[in-house]
Amino acid sequence: MLFIKIKDGNYDLTIETRSDDEIADLSNEFNKMAQDLRRSNEEIKNSLAQKEVLLREIHHRVKNNMQIIRAS
């Protein structure tokens, strides 16, 4: 169930343990992996937003240039 939630984009989930054994080590590694996924996902979203802004700016400039060419 936990993996399905992470697959769906919920990276805030963590596994809490009260022991100090291999299961706790695996849980800690899983929590680190979920944090890394969240960080990577945020970086990808930010990068996509920047690219969308640049694409809109390019579209605007091309549109203006086409209007100038048509007016000539």
Side-chain angles (χ1 to χ4, degrees):
M1 209 44 111
L2 184 66
F3 297 110
I4 293 172
K5 290 179 182 180
I6 289 175
K7 180 186 74 78
D8 292 339
N10 187 354
Y11 303 116
D12 294 326
L13 300 172
T14 57
I15 299 174
E16 296 181 20
T17 58
R18 296 185 181 149
S19 62
D20 193 24
D21 57 2
E22 291 178 0
I23 299 297
D25 292 340
L26 285 172
S27 299
N28 290 333
E29 289 301 317
F30 179 84
N31 292 338
K32 288 178 190 175
M33 181 188 68
Q35 288 175 351
D36 290 344
L37 284 172
R38 182 178 62 235
R39 212 173 299 121
S40 295
N41 191 38
E42 290 171 4
E43 289 174 6
I44 290 169
K45 284 182 180 180
N46 289 337
S47 178
L48 179 60
Q50 290 174 350
K51 287 172 178 57
E52 287 174 343
V53 168
L54 290 173
L55 188 58
R56 282 195 300 270
E57 180 64 25
I58 289 169
H59 178 267
H60 176 70
R61 290 180 184 211
V62 168
K63 184 178 172 183
N64 284 347
N65 287 340
M66 294 300 287
Q67 288 176 349
I68 290 171
I69 292 171
R70 287 183 190 161
S72 298

